Amino acid sequence: SGDDFALAKLGDAQVAVMICYECEFPETVRQVSALGADVVLIVTACAWDQVPNLVVPSRAYENGVYMVYANFCGVENGHAFAGLSCIVNPYGNDLARAGRDREAITAQLDLALVSEARARLPYLRDHRKIPSDLKLPKDP
């Protein structure tokens, strides 16, 4: 485990890599987006449909970033995995989506769409206006 994320240059894109559970936290995708990620690559083995169907598009939309979600499919050791790998644009729309079986998906990523989405949907910019010392309620 680590305590920070690093970006890598892939062609013209700044790319962040996450595993499994990490993309399910709004803060992690927000952090890499604030660092300048254009694309977030996620490799996972998730059983729940909600993550690829709801969470991944929401994180893309909230941060104006491409999300490339590669999920395990099928059954292994009695555990069923959802599949539903997807490539989602910065507006939260599917560019490609797999079914529940093994399948390769591809999409063209227009990096200009990242800047456009962040200008039109300024969540990432406006989030910086929230005080960093904001007190959150303690767990019950």
PDB file of all heavy atoms in Angstrom, residues 80-112:
ATOM      1  N   ALA A  80     -18.332 -14.832  -7.989  1.00  0.00           N
ATOM      2  CA  ALA A  80     -18.749 -14.337  -9.299  1.00  0.00           C
ATOM      3  C   ALA A  80     -18.346 -12.873  -9.441  1.00  0.00           C
ATOM      4  O   ALA A  80     -18.518 -12.083  -8.506  1.00  0.00           O
ATOM      5  CB  ALA A  80     -20.259 -14.476  -9.451  1.00  0.00           C
ATOM      6  N   PHE A  81     -17.801 -12.528 -10.602  1.00  0.00           N
ATOM      7  CA  PHE A  81     -17.369 -11.166 -10.866  1.00  0.00           C
ATOM      8  C   PHE A  81     -18.225 -10.571 -11.968  1.00  0.00           C
ATOM      9  O   PHE A  81     -18.674 -11.264 -12.871  1.00  0.00           O
ATOM     10  CB  PHE A  81     -15.888 -11.142 -11.222  1.00  0.00           C
ATOM     11  CG  PHE A  81     -15.031 -11.655 -10.093  1.00  0.00           C
ATOM     12  CD1 PHE A  81     -14.645 -12.983 -10.036  1.00  0.00           C
ATOM     13  CD2 PHE A  81     -14.664 -10.815  -9.057  1.00  0.00           C
ATOM     14  CE1 PHE A  81     -13.896 -13.467  -8.993  1.00  0.00           C
ATOM     15  CE2 PHE A  81     -13.906 -11.287  -7.994  1.00  0.00           C
ATOM     16  CZ  PHE A  81     -13.522 -12.612  -7.962  1.00  0.00           C
ATOM     17  N   ALA A  82     -18.460  -9.259 -11.906  1.00  0.00           N
ATOM     18  CA  ALA A  82     -19.462  -8.590 -12.736  1.00  0.00           C
ATOM     19  C   ALA A  82     -19.072  -8.415 -14.192  1.00  0.00           C
ATOM     20  O   ALA A  82     -19.948  -8.298 -15.048  1.00  0.00           O
ATOM     21  CB  ALA A  82     -19.807  -7.223 -12.134  1.00  0.00           C
ATOM     22  N   GLY A  83     -17.776  -8.341 -14.500  1.00  0.00           N
ATOM     23  CA  GLY A  83     -17.439  -7.949 -15.864  1.00  0.00           C
ATOM     24  C   GLY A  83     -17.809  -6.491 -16.044  1.00  0.00           C
ATOM     25  O   GLY A  83     -17.501  -5.662 -15.188  1.00  0.00           O
ATOM     26  N   LEU A  84     -18.499  -6.169 -17.135  1.00  0.00           N
ATOM     27  CA  LEU A  84     -18.978  -4.814 -17.401  1.00  0.00           C
ATOM     28  C   LEU A  84     -17.851  -3.792 -17.470  1.00  0.00           C
ATOM     29  O   LEU A  84     -18.017  -2.627 -17.109  1.00  0.00           O
ATOM     30  CB  LEU A  84     -20.035  -4.379 -16.362  1.00  0.00           C
ATOM     31  CG  LEU A  84     -21.250  -5.295 -16.220  1.00  0.00           C
ATOM     32  CD1 LEU A  84     -22.142  -4.830 -15.081  1.00  0.00           C
ATOM     33  CD2 LEU A  84     -22.019  -5.387 -17.526  1.00  0.00           C
ATOM     34  N   SER A  85     -16.684  -4.225 -17.937  1.00  0.00           N
ATOM     35  CA  SER A  85     -15.576  -3.288 -18.140  1.00  0.00           C
ATOM     36  C   SER A  85     -16.061  -2.156 -19.029  1.00  0.00           C
ATOM     37  O   SER A  85     -16.932  -2.343 -19.889  1.00  0.00           O
ATOM     38  CB  SER A  85     -14.400  -3.997 -18.797  1.00  0.00           C
ATOM     39  OG  SER A  85     -13.878  -4.989 -17.942  1.00  0.00           O
ATOM     40  N   CYS A  86     -15.493  -0.971 -18.826  1.00  0.00           N
ATOM     41  CA  CYS A  86     -15.994   0.174 -19.587  1.00  0.00           C
ATOM     42  C   CYS A  86     -14.917   1.240 -19.767  1.00  0.00           C
ATOM     43  O   CYS A  86     -13.949   1.301 -19.018  1.00  0.00           O
ATOM     44  CB  CYS A  86     -17.221   0.775 -18.920  1.00  0.00           C
ATOM     45  SG  CYS A  86     -16.994   1.271 -17.206  1.00  0.00           S
ATOM     46  N   ILE A  87     -15.144   2.051 -20.771  1.00  0.00           N
ATOM     47  CA  ILE A  87     -14.363   3.256 -21.025  1.00  0.00           C
ATOM     48  C   ILE A  87     -15.373   4.393 -21.040  1.00  0.00           C
ATOM     49  O   ILE A  87     -16.325   4.380 -21.829  1.00  0.00           O
ATOM     50  CB  ILE A  87     -13.601   3.169 -22.359  1.00  0.00           C
ATOM     51  CG1 ILE A  87     -12.692   1.936 -22.360  1.00  0.00           C
ATOM     52  CG2 ILE A  87     -12.808   4.450 -22.598  1.00  0.00           C
ATOM     53  CD1 ILE A  87     -12.081   1.624 -23.727  1.00  0.00           C
ATOM     54  N   VAL A  88     -15.173   5.341 -20.131  1.00  0.00           N
ATOM     55  CA  VAL A  88     -16.154   6.407 -19.907  1.00  0.00           C
ATOM     56  C   VAL A  88     -15.484   7.761 -20.149  1.00  0.00           C
ATOM     57  O   VAL A  88     -14.358   7.994 -19.704  1.00  0.00           O
ATOM     58  CB  VAL A  88     -16.702   6.328 -18.460  1.00  0.00           C
ATOM     59  CG1 VAL A  88     -17.707   7.424 -18.186  1.00  0.00           C
ATOM     60  CG2 VAL A  88     -17.328   4.955 -18.212  1.00  0.00           C
ATOM     61  N   ASN A  89     -16.191   8.653 -20.843  1.00  0.00           N
ATOM     62  CA  ASN A  89     -15.607   9.956 -21.155  1.00  0.00           C
ATOM     63  C   ASN A  89     -15.765  10.933 -19.981  1.00  0.00           C
ATOM     64  O   ASN A  89     -16.436  10.620 -18.988  1.00  0.00           O
ATOM     65  CB  ASN A  89     -16.156  10.509 -22.479  1.00  0.00           C
ATOM     66  CG  ASN A  89     -17.552  11.092 -22.390  1.00  0.00           C
ATOM     67  OD1 ASN A  89     -18.117  11.325 -21.316  1.00  0.00           O
ATOM     68  ND2 ASN A  89     -18.146  11.340 -23.544  1.00  0.00           N
ATOM     69  N   PRO A  90     -15.166  12.124 -20.067  1.00  0.00           N
ATOM     70  CA  PRO A  90     -15.216  13.078 -18.956  1.00  0.00           C
ATOM     71  C   PRO A  90     -16.605  13.639 -18.633  1.00  0.00           C
ATOM     72  O   PRO A  90     -16.761  14.328 -17.632  1.00  0.00           O
ATOM     73  CB  PRO A  90     -14.275  14.202 -19.401  1.00  0.00           C
ATOM     74  CG  PRO A  90     -13.344  13.562 -20.370  1.00  0.00           C
ATOM     75  CD  PRO A  90     -14.186  12.533 -21.077  1.00  0.00           C
ATOM     76  N   TYR A  91     -17.589  13.347 -19.446  1.00  0.00           N
ATOM     77  CA  TYR A  91     -18.972  13.728 -19.136  1.00  0.00           C
ATOM     78  C   TYR A  91     -19.741  12.573 -18.503  1.00  0.00           C
ATOM     79  O   TYR A  91     -20.941  12.677 -18.264  1.00  0.00           O
ATOM     80  CB  TYR A  91     -19.694  14.200 -20.403  1.00  0.00           C
ATOM     81  CG  TYR A  91     -19.246  15.562 -20.867  1.00  0.00           C
ATOM     82  CD1 TYR A  91     -18.457  15.700 -22.001  1.00  0.00           C
ATOM     83  CD2 TYR A  91     -19.594  16.717 -20.169  1.00  0.00           C
ATOM     84  CE1 TYR A  91     -18.032  16.945 -22.434  1.00  0.00           C
ATOM     85  CE2 TYR A  91     -19.172  17.967 -20.595  1.00  0.00           C
ATOM     86  CZ  TYR A  91     -18.398  18.074 -21.726  1.00  0.00           C
ATOM     87  OH  TYR A  91     -17.973  19.308 -22.149  1.00  0.00           O
ATOM     88  N   GLY A  92     -19.074  11.444 -18.261  1.00  0.00           N
ATOM     89  CA  GLY A  92     -19.713  10.288 -17.643  1.00  0.00           C
ATOM     90  C   GLY A  92     -20.435   9.385 -18.616  1.00  0.00           C
ATOM     91  O   GLY A  92     -21.199   8.512 -18.214  1.00  0.00           O
ATOM     92  N   ASN A  93     -20.193   9.564 -19.917  1.00  0.00           N
ATOM     93  CA  ASN A  93     -20.864   8.757 -20.945  1.00  0.00           C
ATOM     94  C   ASN A  93     -19.977   7.610 -21.409  1.00  0.00           C
ATOM     95  O   ASN A  93     -18.772   7.788 -21.592  1.00  0.00           O
ATOM     96  CB  ASN A  93     -21.223   9.633 -22.152  1.00  0.00           C
ATOM     97  CG  ASN A  93     -22.173  10.747 -21.773  1.00  0.00           C
ATOM     98  OD1 ASN A  93     -23.135  10.533 -21.060  1.00  0.00           O
ATOM     99  ND2 ASN A  93     -21.884  11.951 -22.239  1.00  0.00           N
ATOM    100  N   ASP A  94     -20.586   6.459 -21.624  1.00  0.00           N
ATOM    101  CA  ASP A  94     -19.858   5.299 -22.126  1.00  0.00           C
ATOM    102  C   ASP A  94     -19.339   5.545 -23.535  1.00  0.00           C
ATOM    103  O   ASP A  94     -20.092   5.982 -24.408  1.00  0.00           O
ATOM    104  CB  ASP A  94     -20.768   4.070 -22.194  1.00  0.00           C
ATOM    105  CG  ASP A  94     -21.019   3.411 -20.856  1.00  0.00           C
ATOM    106  OD1 ASP A  94     -20.459   3.864 -19.842  1.00  0.00           O
ATOM    107  OD2 ASP A  94     -21.777   2.422 -20.830  1.00  0.00           O
ATOM    108  N   LEU A  95     -18.064   5.229 -23.732  1.00  0.00           N
ATOM    109  CA  LEU A  95     -17.507   5.147 -25.073  1.00  0.00           C
ATOM    110  C   LEU A  95     -17.480   3.701 -25.527  1.00  0.00           C
ATOM    111  O   LEU A  95     -17.583   3.412 -26.717  1.00  0.00           O
ATOM    112  CB  LEU A  95     -16.093   5.725 -25.105  1.00  0.00           C
ATOM    113  CG  LEU A  95     -15.977   7.208 -24.789  1.00  0.00           C
ATOM    114  CD1 LEU A  95     -14.512   7.630 -24.803  1.00  0.00           C
ATOM    115  CD2 LEU A  95     -16.777   8.041 -25.776  1.00  0.00           C
ATOM    116  N   ALA A  96     -17.320   2.797 -24.565  1.00  0.00           N
ATOM    117  CA  ALA A  96     -17.341   1.355 -24.832  1.00  0.00           C
ATOM    118  C   ALA A  96     -17.692   0.652 -23.534  1.00  0.00           C
ATOM    119  O   ALA A  96     -17.344   1.111 -22.452  1.00  0.00           O
ATOM    120  CB  ALA A  96     -15.978   0.885 -25.332  1.00  0.00           C
ATOM    121  N   ARG A  97     -18.400  -0.462 -23.670  1.00  0.00           N
ATOM    122  CA  ARG A  97     -18.777  -1.239 -22.486  1.00  0.00           C
ATOM    123  C   ARG A  97     -18.845  -2.705 -22.858  1.00  0.00           C
ATOM    124  O   ARG A  97     -19.479  -3.079 -23.829  1.00  0.00           O
ATOM    125  CB  ARG A  97     -20.117  -0.785 -21.920  1.00  0.00           C
ATOM    126  CG  ARG A  97     -20.462  -1.561 -20.620  1.00  0.00           C
ATOM    127  CD  ARG A  97     -21.592  -0.936 -19.863  1.00  0.00           C
ATOM    128  NE  ARG A  97     -21.268   0.354 -19.302  1.00  0.00           N
ATOM    129  CZ  ARG A  97     -20.778   0.545 -18.072  1.00  0.00           C
ATOM    130  NH1 ARG A  97     -20.518  -0.478 -17.293  1.00  0.00           N
ATOM    131  NH2 ARG A  97     -20.545   1.771 -17.637  1.00  0.00           N
ATOM    132  N   ALA A  98     -18.191  -3.518 -22.049  1.00  0.00           N
ATOM    133  CA  ALA A  98     -18.224  -4.967 -22.243  1.00  0.00           C
ATOM    134  C   ALA A  98     -19.436  -5.549 -21.534  1.00  0.00           C
ATOM    135  O   ALA A  98     -20.041  -4.907 -20.675  1.00  0.00           O
ATOM    136  CB  ALA A  98     -16.946  -5.594 -21.686  1.00  0.00           C
ATOM    137  N   GLY A  99     -19.730  -6.771 -21.870  1.00  0.00           N
ATOM    138  CA  GLY A  99     -20.779  -7.501 -21.171  1.00  0.00           C
ATOM    139  C   GLY A  99     -20.187  -8.247 -19.976  1.00  0.00           C
ATOM    140  O   GLY A  99     -19.167  -7.842 -19.416  1.00  0.00           O
ATOM    141  N   ARG A 100     -20.790  -9.344 -19.637  1.00  0.00           N
ATOM    142  CA  ARG A 100     -20.344 -10.112 -18.470  1.00  0.00           C
ATOM    143  C   ARG A 100     -19.284 -11.159 -18.810  1.00  0.00           C
ATOM    144  O   ARG A 100     -18.693 -11.745 -17.927  1.00  0.00           O
ATOM    145  CB  ARG A 100     -21.537 -10.767 -17.813  1.00  0.00           C
ATOM    146  CG  ARG A 100     -22.487  -9.724 -17.261  1.00  0.00           C
ATOM    147  CD  ARG A 100     -23.444 -10.323 -16.265  1.00  0.00           C
ATOM    148  NE  ARG A 100     -24.349  -9.310 -15.791  1.00  0.00           N
ATOM    149  CZ  ARG A 100     -24.077  -8.443 -14.812  1.00  0.00           C
ATOM    150  NH1 ARG A 100     -22.911  -8.472 -14.208  1.00  0.00           N
ATOM    151  NH2 ARG A 100     -24.957  -7.543 -14.442  1.00  0.00           N
ATOM    152  N   ASP A 101     -19.061 -11.384 -20.103  1.00  0.00           N
ATOM    153  CA  ASP A 101     -18.065 -12.360 -20.526  1.00  0.00           C
ATOM    154  C   ASP A 101     -16.786 -11.656 -20.963  1.00  0.00           C
ATOM    155  O   ASP A 101     -16.772 -10.447 -21.219  1.00  0.00           O
ATOM    156  CB  ASP A 101     -18.615 -13.192 -21.689  1.00  0.00           C
ATOM    157  CG  ASP A 101     -19.837 -14.001 -21.277  1.00  0.00           C
ATOM    158  OD1 ASP A 101     -19.837 -14.540 -20.156  1.00  0.00           O
ATOM    159  OD2 ASP A 101     -20.781 -14.079 -22.087  1.00  0.00           O
ATOM    160  N   ARG A 102     -15.712 -12.426 -21.088  1.00  0.00           N
ATOM    161  CA  ARG A 102     -14.421 -11.880 -21.501  1.00  0.00           C
ATOM    162  C   ARG A 102     -14.575 -11.217 -22.870  1.00  0.00           C
ATOM    163  O   ARG A 102     -15.131 -11.807 -23.806  1.00  0.00           O
ATOM    164  CB  ARG A 102     -13.403 -13.003 -21.573  1.00  0.00           C
ATOM    165  CG  ARG A 102     -12.006 -12.509 -21.837  1.00  0.00           C
ATOM    166  CD  ARG A 102     -11.028 -13.617 -21.835  1.00  0.00           C
ATOM    167  NE  ARG A 102     -11.044 -14.264 -20.518  1.00  0.00           N
ATOM    168  CZ  ARG A 102     -10.224 -15.225 -20.164  1.00  0.00           C
ATOM    169  NH1 ARG A 102      -9.347 -15.680 -21.025  1.00  0.00           N
ATOM    170  NH2 ARG A 102     -10.291 -15.750 -18.968  1.00  0.00           N
ATOM    171  N   GLU A 103     -14.059 -10.009 -22.962  1.00  0.00           N
ATOM    172  CA  GLU A 103     -14.239  -9.229 -24.181  1.00  0.00           C
ATOM    173  C   GLU A 103     -13.231  -8.084 -24.175  1.00  0.00           C
ATOM    174  O   GLU A 103     -12.937  -7.527 -23.127  1.00  0.00           O
ATOM    175  CB  GLU A 103     -15.677  -8.698 -24.161  1.00  0.00           C
ATOM    176  CG  GLU A 103     -16.081  -7.757 -25.189  1.00  0.00           C
ATOM    177  CD  GLU A 103     -17.564  -7.373 -25.097  1.00  0.00           C
ATOM    178  OE1 GLU A 103     -18.311  -7.878 -24.236  1.00  0.00           O
ATOM    179  OE2 GLU A 103     -17.950  -6.548 -25.918  1.00  0.00           O
ATOM    180  N   ALA A 104     -12.700  -7.745 -25.332  1.00  0.00           N
ATOM    181  CA  ALA A 104     -11.813  -6.595 -25.464  1.00  0.00           C
ATOM    182  C   ALA A 104     -12.636  -5.406 -25.961  1.00  0.00           C
ATOM    183  O   ALA A 104     -13.454  -5.552 -26.878  1.00  0.00           O
ATOM    184  CB  ALA A 104     -10.681  -6.891 -26.434  1.00  0.00           C
ATOM    185  N   ILE A 105     -12.442  -4.253 -25.339  1.00  0.00           N
ATOM    186  CA  ILE A 105     -13.112  -3.041 -25.789  1.00  0.00           C
ATOM    187  C   ILE A 105     -12.053  -1.978 -26.057  1.00  0.00           C
ATOM    188  O   ILE A 105     -10.982  -1.975 -25.456  1.00  0.00           O
ATOM    189  CB  ILE A 105     -14.152  -2.519 -24.763  1.00  0.00           C
ATOM    190  CG1 ILE A 105     -13.513  -2.237 -23.401  1.00  0.00           C
ATOM    191  CG2 ILE A 105     -15.305  -3.508 -24.630  1.00  0.00           C
ATOM    192  CD1 ILE A 105     -14.457  -1.574 -22.395  1.00  0.00           C
ATOM    193  N   THR A 106     -12.362  -1.090 -26.985  1.00  0.00           N
ATOM    194  CA  THR A 106     -11.450   0.003 -27.318  1.00  0.00           C
ATOM    195  C   THR A 106     -12.256   1.269 -27.552  1.00  0.00           C
ATOM    196  O   THR A 106     -13.470   1.212 -27.806  1.00  0.00           O
ATOM    197  CB  THR A 106     -10.629  -0.292 -28.593  1.00  0.00           C
ATOM    198  OG1 THR A 106     -11.528  -0.415 -29.701  1.00  0.00           O
ATOM    199  CG2 THR A 106      -9.800  -1.557 -28.444  1.00  0.00           C
ATOM    200  N   ALA A 107     -11.574   2.389 -27.464  1.00  0.00           N
ATOM    201  CA  ALA A 107     -12.206   3.676 -27.764  1.00  0.00           C
ATOM    202  C   ALA A 107     -11.110   4.689 -28.065  1.00  0.00           C
ATOM    203  O   ALA A 107      -9.984   4.561 -27.564  1.00  0.00           O
ATOM    204  CB  ALA A 107     -13.052   4.151 -26.593  1.00  0.00           C
ATOM    205  N   GLN A 108     -11.436   5.680 -28.850  1.00  0.00           N
ATOM    206  CA  GLN A 108     -10.546   6.803 -29.096  1.00  0.00           C
ATOM    207  C   GLN A 108     -10.785   7.832 -27.991  1.00  0.00           C
ATOM    208  O   GLN A 108     -11.931   8.189 -27.713  1.00  0.00           O
ATOM    209  CB  GLN A 108     -10.842   7.448 -30.456  1.00  0.00           C
ATOM    210  CG  GLN A 108     -10.473   6.592 -31.621  1.00  0.00           C
ATOM    211  CD  GLN A 108      -8.976   6.677 -31.928  1.00  0.00           C
ATOM    212  OE1 GLN A 108      -8.146   6.989 -31.076  1.00  0.00           O
ATOM    213  NE2 GLN A 108      -8.634   6.384 -33.162  1.00  0.00           N
ATOM    214  N   LEU A 109      -9.711   8.310 -27.368  1.00  0.00           N
ATOM    215  CA  LEU A 109      -9.829   9.320 -26.319  1.00  0.00           C
ATOM    216  C   LEU A 109      -9.383  10.663 -26.879  1.00  0.00           C
ATOM    217  O   LEU A 109      -8.234  10.810 -27.298  1.00  0.00           O
ATOM    218  CB  LEU A 109      -8.975   8.946 -25.103  1.00  0.00           C
ATOM    219  CG  LEU A 109      -9.176   7.563 -24.504  1.00  0.00           C
ATOM    220  CD1 LEU A 109      -8.363   7.436 -23.218  1.00  0.00           C
ATOM    221  CD2 LEU A 109     -10.632   7.253 -24.264  1.00  0.00           C
ATOM    222  N   ASP A 110     -10.280  11.611 -26.886  1.00  0.00           N
ATOM    223  CA  ASP A 110      -9.988  12.970 -27.336  1.00  0.00           C
ATOM    224  C   ASP A 110      -9.619  13.781 -26.096  1.00  0.00           C
ATOM    225  O   ASP A 110     -10.494  14.167 -25.317  1.00  0.00           O
ATOM    226  CB  ASP A 110     -11.211  13.552 -28.041  1.00  0.00           C
ATOM    227  CG  ASP A 110     -11.026  14.982 -28.480  1.00  0.00           C
ATOM    228  OD1 ASP A 110      -9.926  15.558 -28.278  1.00  0.00           O
ATOM    229  OD2 ASP A 110     -11.989  15.553 -29.018  1.00  0.00           O
ATOM    230  N   LEU A 111      -8.330  14.023 -25.897  1.00  0.00           N
ATOM    231  CA  LEU A 111      -7.880  14.687 -24.677  1.00  0.00           C
ATOM    232  C   LEU A 111      -8.396  16.113 -24.549  1.00  0.00           C
ATOM    233  O   LEU A 111      -8.486  16.644 -23.446  1.00  0.00           O
ATOM    234  CB  LEU A 111      -6.359  14.644 -24.574  1.00  0.00           C
ATOM    235  CG  LEU A 111      -5.767  13.241 -24.455  1.00  0.00           C
ATOM    236  CD1 LEU A 111      -4.251  13.310 -24.379  1.00  0.00           C
ATOM    237  CD2 LEU A 111      -6.344  12.503 -23.254  1.00  0.00           C
ATOM    238  N   ALA A 112      -8.771  16.745 -25.667  1.00  0.00           N
ATOM    239  CA  ALA A 112      -9.357  18.088 -25.597  1.00  0.00           C
ATOM    240  C   ALA A 112     -10.676  18.066 -24.827  1.00  0.00           C
ATOM    241  O   ALA A 112     -11.075  19.073 -24.231  1.00  0.00           O
ATOM    242  CB  ALA A 112      -9.564  18.647 -27.002  1.00  0.00           C
TER     243      ALA A 112
END
